[in-house]
Amino acid sequence: MKKIIFTDKAPAPIGPYNQAVLVGNTLYTSGQIAINPKTSDLVLDNIETETKQVMENMKAVLEAADMTFDNVIKTTIFIMDMNDFAKINGVYGSYFDEKSAPARETVQVAGLPKGVNVEISMVAVK
């Protein structure tokens, strides 16, 4: 049976989807972009602050499911410009222990919602 995960500490969905769905012990998150959940404004100052906002949004979703980044087993990173990879990776990496970091793929895409530069989704297990 699935359980819908929602927190007001992450941006509310802007379509027919949920922030995350928990099935058994596995959490499937929707992609997060750099929307400040308190103001609903995009955080696009630079790629590092944008990525930090994405990761903080994801942290809030994980916490709403009683999980942390330690529970994450797989991530997908969508980026607009592969030249930003090192900066995104630096911020992203600060949220994980390198020895137990999740599996991941990073894909350059032609476009992302609201014109953002990075979107990240995750799968986590309790």
Side-chain angles (χ1 to χ4, degrees):
M1 187 140 174
K2 70 180 183 180
K3 177 182 177 186
I4 303 303
I5 302 299
F6 176 81
T7 177
D8 60 4
K9 295 178 182 174
I14 52 175
Y17 65 91
N18 290 289
Q19 292 169 331
V21 176
L22 183 66
V23 179
N25 291 329
T26 305
L27 181 72
Y28 302 89
T29 74
S30 294
Q32 286 291 322
I33 62 174
I35 296 175
N36 180 324
K38 293 178 183 173
T39 65
S40 296
D41 293 333
L42 287 170
V43 178
L44 302 176
D45 303 332
N46 58 57
I47 196 65
E48 291 94 339
T49 57
E50 185 175 349
T51 305
K52 181 173 174 48
Q53 184 65 59
V54 171
M55 294 300 287
E56 288 298 313
N57 291 346
M58 193 58 68
K59 180 179 177 182
V61 173
L62 290 168
E63 287 176 349
D66 295 321
M67 294 190 194
T68 70
F69 287 108
D70 289 337
N71 296 99
V72 176
I73 61 166
K74 178 80 165 58
T75 64
T76 303
I77 302 176
F78 303 97
I79 62 177
M80 289 295 296
D81 185 349
M82 198 56 79
N83 292 317
D84 289 332
F85 177 80
K87 292 177 181 176
I88 292 167
N89 196 51
V91 175
Y92 167 92
S94 71
Y95 286 82
F96 294 101
D97 176 354
E98 193 169 324
K99 292 179 182 176
S100 61
R104 176 185 83 186
E105 66 259 332
T106 302
V107 181
Q108 181 173 319
V109 295
L112 288 169
K114 297 188 173 279
V116 300
N117 300 294
V118 61
E119 179 174 359
I120 300 174
S121 64
M122 298 181 176
V123 177
V125 176
K126 282 189 180 182

